[in-house]
């Protein structure tokens, strides 16, 4: 499931395109392997009688259900999740059947926080929380190489501010009130 280029503007360039860390695929793959092993084990162990065939079918049905819901579906969700950093914005897209896409313009980002658990540090991944103006935030979970991604995000924000200017700098300062004696009697 590739990220569609038609959602980008003509001048916009993709700087970084990521999926969640591959560790998100480990559990679904293990579920698929265990489901297959269970079916093969029951097929080998049970006798080739009608009762054995019913047992194989029951275990096969449960294994198929678990393989689809706990194996295949999480793999599709993992592959369908995109973290795209461009020179203008951050695009977050997820979903398999129904899709949700969220855009965070770089000029609206006012804070980004990276956090890593011990396991995240060992695997080189982490969580990146991006806060933008207007109490909106986005949480990118299981970001591979999260430290480099956070540094790149900082560089993109600074480059965007240099090119387009900071909104706060464009505002005219308010005139100071006239300070004089107000003699009212």
């Amino acid at each position: 499931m590739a990220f569609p280029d038609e959602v980008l503007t003509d001048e916009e360039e993709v700087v970084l395109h990521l999926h969640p860390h591959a560790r998100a695929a480990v559990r679904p793959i293990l579920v698929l392997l265990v489901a297959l092993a269970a079916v093969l084990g029951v097929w080998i162990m049970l006798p080739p009688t009608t009762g054995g065939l019913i047992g194989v079918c029951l275990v096969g049905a449960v294994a198929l259900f678990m393989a689809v819901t706990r194996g295949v579906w999480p793999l599709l969700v993992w592959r369908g999740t995109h973290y795209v950093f461009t020179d203008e914005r951050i695009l977050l897209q997820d979903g398999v059947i129904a899709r949700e896409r969220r855009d965070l313009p770089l000029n609206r980002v006012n804070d980004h926080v990276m956090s890593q658990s011990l396991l995240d540090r060992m695997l080189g991944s982490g969580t990146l929380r991006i806060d933008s103006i207007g109490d909106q935030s986005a949480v990118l979970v299981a970001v591979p190489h999260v430290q480099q991604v956070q540094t790149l995000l900082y560089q993109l924000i600074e480059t965007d501010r240099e090119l387009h200017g900071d909104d706060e700098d464009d505002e005219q300062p308010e005139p100071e009130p006239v300070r004089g004696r107000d003699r009212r009697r």
Side-chain angles (χ1 to χ4, degrees), residues 11-94:
E11 300 85 27
E12 193 172 16
E13 293 183 30
V14 174
V15 177
L16 184 63
H17 179 193
L18 299 170
H19 292 282
H21 194 273
R23 71 180 170 109
V26 171
R27 182 177 289 156
I29 290 172
L30 287 175
V31 167
L32 290 172
L33 292 175
V34 167
L36 180 64
V39 170
L40 289 176
V42 169
W43 185 37
I44 291 171
M45 297 289 216
L46 291 180
T49 62
T50 306
L53 183 60
I54 291 173
V56 170
C57 288
L58 286 175
V59 170
V62 171
L64 179 64
F65 176 77
M66 294 302 289
V68 170
T69 60
R70 308 278 185 193
V72 174
W73 186 254
L75 286 173
L76 291 174
V77 170
W78 171 64
R79 288 300 299 162
T81 301
H82 299 271
Y83 304 143
V84 179
F85 295 81
T86 72
D87 55 354
E88 295 178 11
R89 59 188 167 157
I90 303 162
L91 293 123
L92 309 172
Q93 178 175 298
D94 63 355

Side-chain angles (χ1 to χ4, degrees), residues 82 84 89-94 100-104 130 132 135-139:
H82 299 271
V84 179
R89 59 188 167 157
I90 303 162
L91 293 123
L92 309 172
Q93 178 175 298
D94 63 355
E100 181 178 325
R101 183 178 305 129
R102 183 167 183 194
D103 296 350
L104 292 171
I130 303 169
S132 68
D135 292 332
Q136 295 181 354
S137 65
V139 179

Side-chain angles (χ1 to χ4, degrees), residues 91 115 164 168:
L91 293 123
S115 61
H164 299 105
E168 295 173 4

